[in-house]
Amino acid sequence: MSGAIETPQVLLAHHLKALKLPTFLREYAKVAAECAKDRADHPKFLLRLAELELLDRERRLVERRIRAAHFPAVKSLDTFDFTAIPSLNKMLVLDLARCDYINAHDNIIALGNSGTGKTHVALALGLAACQRGLSVGFMTAAGLVHQLMEARDERRLLRLQAQLASLKLLIIDELGYVPLSQTGAELLFEVFSQRHERGSTIVTSNLPFEDWTSVFGAERLTGALLDRLTHHVQILEMNGESYRLKQSRARRRKDIEKTGDDLPHDPETGEINDS
């Protein structure tokens, strides 16, 4: 008797797995009980299951895109303190999070001194792109050049270049922190060139444009790169006091307050000195 009762459930589980409907399989008993309680008909029962399946499938796809992007951390604009960087155009950043610039194959360059949140903003825009179903890749400039040179030595450069060119959004972080060799600069230039008007690129840098020659070594190469990169571009000005330094000071103040230790004061003004 129990076998006869279990057979439909076993077959249903088999069929749902074959159809790749894991949420149906996991939720159908619970939803059936809810629909019975609400006196919902069969179409409403199926509708609820279909909605749950679609929502869960989209969540899994977003998670897969985030993993494929190789973000060092998942950041959103909700956790970014725009008041800490007054030079940054908040409305522009929020508009960019809609990802229309990717459909237009425009680029973004975030310029500013170290610690002002350039990487956070880039990661947040990358997350927004993943959530909208777009392919994203993240790497530092030095890391990308290392991969390109390694791929060239192993005779798989064309394959890597094709993968990079196929991304809807490529984020290149920390351009300018490490000078590039002539070969490395040429390989990186080729990446920008292949993506020109075919895909969007976000670049973060601690250097103003006039100092990029110190990274790429040759004025002609730097000029050609900037010509391609800035053809259709949104520039985010992010100069200001180090965002990370501010957070570190705030944490230090809280720790001192918790322990009850006296905060250091300026002997002349009497103000708290947390530097």
Side-chain angles (χ1 to χ4, degrees), residues 71-90:
F71 296 136
V74 177
K75 301 278 188 178
S76 71
L77 291 176
D78 294 336
T79 58
F80 186 80
D81 183 6
F82 284 93
T83 62
I85 310 294
S87 64
L88 180 61
N89 186 334
K90 178 179 178 180

Side-chain angles (χ1 to χ4, degrees), residues 3 7 20 29 35 53 75 89 110-111 131 137 147 154 160 178 181 243 245 247 258:
T7 299
K20 293 183 171 57
C35 287
E53 185 69 51
K75 301 278 188 178
N89 186 334
L111 299 175
Q131 292 170 335
Q147 287 190 38
E154 296 175 0
L160 177 57
V178 180
S181 65
Y243 185 59
L245 182 58
Q247 290 181 321
K258 283 180 182 179

Side-chain angles (χ1 to χ4, degrees), residues 77 91-102 108 124-129 131-132:
L77 291 176
M91 296 309 298
L92 173 59
V93 175
L94 294 178
D95 184 63
L96 291 172
R98 296 168 53 196
C99 298
D100 292 339
Y101 72 96
I102 297 179
I108 298 173
L125 293 176
L127 175 63
Q131 292 170 335
R132 283 161 178 75

Side-chain angles (χ1 to χ4, degrees), residues 140-142 172-180 188 203-208 211-212 214-216:
T140 64
I172 301 177
D173 195 31
E174 298 182 344
L175 180 68
Y177 285 81
V178 180
L180 305 177
L188 185 56
V203 177
T204 75
S205 178
N206 63 324
L207 297 177
D211 292 340
W212 280 29
S214 64
V215 179
F216 290 93

Side-chain angles (χ1 to χ4, degrees), residues 147-179:
Q147 287 190 38
L148 290 166
M149 295 185 71
E150 192 175 71
R152 184 202 59 171
D153 293 342
E154 296 175 0
R155 298 187 178 181
R156 52 181 178 84
L157 179 60
L158 291 178
R159 190 191 320 156
L160 177 57
Q161 288 176 330
Q163 291 172 351
L164 294 169
S166 69
L167 293 170
K168 294 294 184 182
L169 175 63
L170 175 62
I171 302 172
I172 301 177
D173 195 31
E174 298 182 344
L175 180 68
Y177 285 81
V178 180

Side-chain angles (χ1 to χ4, degrees), residues 35-49:
C35 287
K37 183 179 179 181
D38 298 339
R39 296 184 179 180
D41 56 20
H42 290 108
K44 288 181 180 177
F45 165 66
L46 290 172
L47 176 60
R48 290 186 190 181
L49 279 175

